[in-house]
Amino acid sequence: MLLKIPSSVAGSITFALAVAALPDCVSASPQGEQPYGTISLPDRTLLLNADGTFNHDKAVVFNAATALKYRRNLMNFQENSGGSLPAGMKLIDIPLRAQMQARGQRDESLTDENDDSEWAGRLFDNVSGKCVVEHSSIIGMVRIGKPGQKFLVDFDTGSSDLWVPSSLCTSTACSSKRKYNSSSSSTSQNETGTFSIQYGDGSSVSGSIYSDTVTVAGVKVQNQRFAAVTNLSSSFASDPVDGVLGLGFPSISILKADPVFVSAAQQNAITTKAFSFYLAKNNSELYLGGTNPKLYNDPIEYHPVDKSNGFWQVKNASITVGGQTVLSDFDTIIDSGTTIMYGPPDMVKEIYSKVEGAEVFDSSEGFYSFPCNEVPEISFSWGGEKFAISSENFNLGTTAPNASTCAGALAAKDLGLGNTTLLLGDSWMKNAYHVFSLEKTAVGFAKLK
Ligand SMILES: *[C@@H]1O[C@H](CO)[C@@H](O)[C@H](O)[C@H]1NC(C)=O
Ligand SMILES: *[C@@H]1O[C@H](CO)[C@@H](O)[C@H](O)[C@H]1NC(C)=O
Ligand SMILES: *[C@@H]1O[C@H](CO)[C@@H](O)[C@H](O)[C@H]1NC(C)=O
Ligand SMILES: *[C@@H]1O[C@H](CO)[C@@H](O)[C@H](O)[C@H]1NC(C)=O
Ligand SMILES: *[C@@H]1O[C@H](CO)[C@@H](O)[C@H](O)[C@H]1NC(C)=O
Ligand SMILES: *[C@@H]1O[C@H](CO)[C@@H](O)[C@H](O)[C@H]1NC(C)=O
Ligand SMILES: *[C@@H]1O[C@H](CO)[C@@H](O)[C@H](O)[C@H]1NC(C)=O
Ligand SMILES: *[C@@H]1O[C@H](CO)[C@@H](O)[C@H](O)[C@H]1NC(C)=O
């Protein structure tokens, strides 16, 4: 099974509208045919404007979206566990006014952006004139049903449900999307219950639940529970991505279902029960069913995951700044659906206190700056090798045009994940090869080739 993105999007008639609205969204270099089991991911960039400045407005939107995402994850956990939250975690209230203000600033496309993290990450960058849709999310094709109906989804290790639009969707936003028609699939089953996500501003996404065959990069899963959304708010319209494929664990599933990859492992649809992310500027790749040795150097260092909270959560992390250990024995959550890195304010303050010349430059959003000519050498370790964050990945750009201070990719924000947990998004993931192993219930880190 061969997958091509995003050139396949360009050729699709159903996407004509979305493509027209976002002219550069399909301009990434065409990918050749991929070997079985791999999905080539579009090129990725940072929150960087064309003039080298940090795109603060967009980062503020990402912050709010990340906070909402984790609030929702924790609410799902609470629902699934009969009322409790993971130890040390709590629901954080997100002031609606702050979100609205953040989203209303400058960029028109942000004004009515839905409060959904998976979608808020994909915006037209007004300054550079480029589409950041494919640059800030990890997307690829999935097929549902028999015969397969194709969907472009976001692969997100920080959530656990699969949802796509339904052919019964009458919302305007659905008109530019691929839609799942259960009647045209001989393997479709109706499931009881409804799928619904409520957002802070009162809007919602809702739909029906089905089970059907789901195929991703040649990996075929039977009777996968997923949602077909019939009510999609207008803010989703400009996004060429149809839905989300969560790669987390069942305890945060809204559908109370095994996520696609957990089902794949249970059904022995893959021999090696692992998937791997290689995130880079070019030729990013998600490999299902193992690892791609062309992209990393052995050994892969595995560290156990505590999956009970639903996340790819790895303990015993330590962080060094300039070679000196600043903090150790904390937890990390690895989330492909988050752009930068976040930590509780006290931890982040402690880390930046070891960075020469660092200071807070936006206290309400938790952003710190440092002198651009001295990007801090920051590394993570989980008890083995040290993995450095490249200066390119840590530096989000100058704090103002021609400024000598730059914004750091680690922000201080209480996401409710406890005071000893860092959330590591793409700014981190780009620095190492990541293996998400269900077989070992572990995350493997390896040095990039
Ligand atoms: C970008 O935003 C400015 C206002 O900040 C607006 O005047 C301009 O039309 C926008 N351009 C695009 C392409 O949306
Ligand atoms: C769904 O598929 C059935 C059978 O192919 C077809 O008759 C029906 O019109 C389709 N519904 C929609 C809304 O496209
Ligand atoms: C699912 O439900 C719809 C409407 O409720 C019905 O038309 C359809 O036949 C059902 N499909 C199956 C496979 O039971
Ligand atoms: C869709 O959601 C809105 C609220 O966001 C609600 O007013 C509307 O009735 C819903 N539509 C359907 C078809 O469920
Ligand atoms: C990435 O691709 C662009 C064009 O697609 C090319 O100019 C650039 O050299 C590539 N960078 C790397 C590191 O391969
Ligand atoms: C935890 O990390 C420390 C280094 O910070 C290391 O010495 C120790 O062996 C690690 N523990 C485990 C269980 O990996
Ligand atoms: C930034 O520097 C460039 C060239 O050094 C100059 O053309 C430009 O006017 C400067 N911009 C600001 C806002 O100072
Ligand atoms: C975390 O919070 C708990 C109680 O809320 C406190 O006892 C503990 O000292 C805090 N740890 C850190 C590292 O701040």
Side-chain angles (χ1 to χ4, degrees):
M1 155 110 201
L2 304 163
L3 282 159
K4 289 201 293 181
I5 52 169
S7 42
S8 53
V9 181
S12 157
I13 288 159
T14 41
F15 271 114
L17 283 175
V19 168
L22 297 164
D24 289 318
C25 290
V26 292
S27 67
S29 57
Q31 304 284 350
E33 292 195 326
Q34 300 297 313
Y36 172 88
T38 70
I39 290 181
S40 59
L41 303 169
D43 300 351
R44 306 165 68 74
T45 58
L46 295 170
L47 288 161
L48 194 62
N49 291 320
D51 66 353
T53 53
F54 164 52
N55 192 331
H56 179 262
D57 291 353
K58 203 185 294 165
V60 169
V61 174
F62 284 4
N63 277 7
T66 305
L68 282 158
K69 175 180 183 173
Y70 278 87
R71 183 179 159 82
R72 197 174 71 223
N73 277 337
L74 292 179
M75 286 168 76
N76 297 344
F77 183 96
Q78 199 171 33
E79 166 77 23
N80 293 344
S81 70
S84 62
L85 285 170
M89 299 197 181
K90 63 178 194 286
L91 295 175
I92 300 292
D93 286 324
I94 300 146
L96 180 59
R97 205 165 142 265
Q99 292 168 35
M100 293 303 194
Q101 277 173 343
R103 285 182 284 124
Q105 279 172 8
R106 289 196 210 166
D107 194 334
E108 302 264 43
S109 65
L110 306 189
T111 320
D112 64 351
E113 187 68 27
N114 197 291
D115 294 347
D116 187 327
S117 56
E118 293 91 343
W119 300 91
R122 293 181 226 97
L123 305 168
F124 185 77
D125 184 337
N126 188 348
V127 179
S128 69
K130 282 188 181 155
C131 182
V132 294
V133 168
E134 296 173 351
H135 295 260
S136 58
S137 59
I138 298 164
I139 62 177
M141 281 293 174
V142 56
R143 291 209 226 173
I144 306 179
K146 186 180 177 186
Q149 299 173 34
K150 285 209 280 184
F151 300 91
L152 193 62
V153 294
D154 191 353
F155 292 99
D156 180 16
T157 63
S159 69
S160 298
D161 294 295
L162 170 63
W163 67 266
V164 295
S166 164
S167 61
L168 301 175
C169 181
T170 50
S171 309
T172 316
C174 281
S175 62
S176 59
K177 307 266 178 218
R178 293 173 162 93
K179 293 177 275 287
Y180 174 73
N181 182 342
S182 62
S183 313
S184 340
S185 168
S186 63
T187 43
S188 178
Q189 299 278 342
N190 294 340
E191 298 284 336
T192 54
T194 52
F195 172 80
S196 171
I197 304 175
Q198 304 288 332
Y199 299 102
D201 62 0
S203 69
S204 67
V205 171
S206 58
S208 308
I209 304 175
Y210 296 89
S211 65
D212 207 334
T213 303
V214 171
T215 311
V216 195
V219 176
K220 190 183 241 178
V221 178
Q222 320 276 357
N223 303 314
Q224 176 62 44
R225 243 167 109 84
F226 71 100
V229 166
T230 49
N231 196 355
L232 194 64
S233 80
S234 58
S235 51
F236 292 81
S238 61
D239 198 313
V241 176
D242 302 308
V244 175
L245 191 150
L247 291 165
F249 291 100
S251 54
I252 54 168
S253 160
I254 303 172
L255 297 172
K256 305 185 200 314
D258 283 338
V260 172
F261 209 73
V262 172
S263 307
Q266 268 163 13
Q267 296 173 15
N268 293 313
I270 34 172
T271 44
T272 304
K273 291 165 182 140
F275 57 90
S276 306
F277 276 92
Y278 168 75
L279 299 188
K281 270 202 155 163
N282 292 356
N283 307 321
S284 293
E285 179 186 287
L286 166 59
Y287 192 100
L288 298 175
T291 66
N292 182 351
K294 285 190 191 131
L295 299 174
Y296 64 89
N297 287 319
D298 279 325
I300 299 172
E301 195 185 289
Y302 285 96
H303 294 282
V305 159
D306 174 2
K307 66 175 182 182
S308 61
N309 295 348
F311 310 120
W312 287 95
Q313 186 166 349
V314 192
K315 292 182 186 302
N316 197 36
S318 63
I319 185 167
T320 60
V321 175
Q324 303 280 60
T325 300
V326 181
L327 294 167
S328 52
D329 200 15
F330 56 87
D331 281 22
T332 52
I333 290 172
I334 318 286
D335 181 1
S336 65
T338 290
T339 306
I340 61 168
M341 303 177 282
Y342 296 94
D346 285 353
M347 280 180 79
V348 173
K349 187 177 174 185
E350 181 67 20
I351 294 163
Y352 279 108
S353 75
K354 301 293 190 276
V355 174
E356 193 87 24
E359 50 190 34
V360 174
F361 91 92
D362 177 352
S363 59
S364 66
E365 292 294 331
F367 291 116
Y368 283 73
S369 67
F370 56 86
C372 301
N373 60 3
E374 254 181 289
V375 181
E377 288 167 32
I378 294 182
S379 297
F380 284 108
S381 151
W382 285 264
E385 282 288 314
K386 278 185 183 153
F387 292 89
I389 302 180
S390 74
S391 56
E392 188 184 24
N393 290 334
F394 192 77
N395 184 352
L396 295 177
T398 60
T399 53
N402 297 353
S404 60
T405 54
C406 284
L410 171 64
K413 193 157 187 71
D414 186 359
L415 297 169
L417 301 173
N419 56 4
T420 56
T421 304
L422 291 192
L423 177 66
L424 305 184
D426 302 344
S427 295
W428 155 254
M429 287 183 72
K430 284 187 278 196
N431 300 287
Y433 194 76
H434 284 67
V435 185
F436 295 84
S437 173
L438 288 169
E439 206 156 79
K440 296 181 162 69
T441 319
V443 172
F445 303 100
K447 302 266 162 120
L448 297 174
K449 261 207 171 128

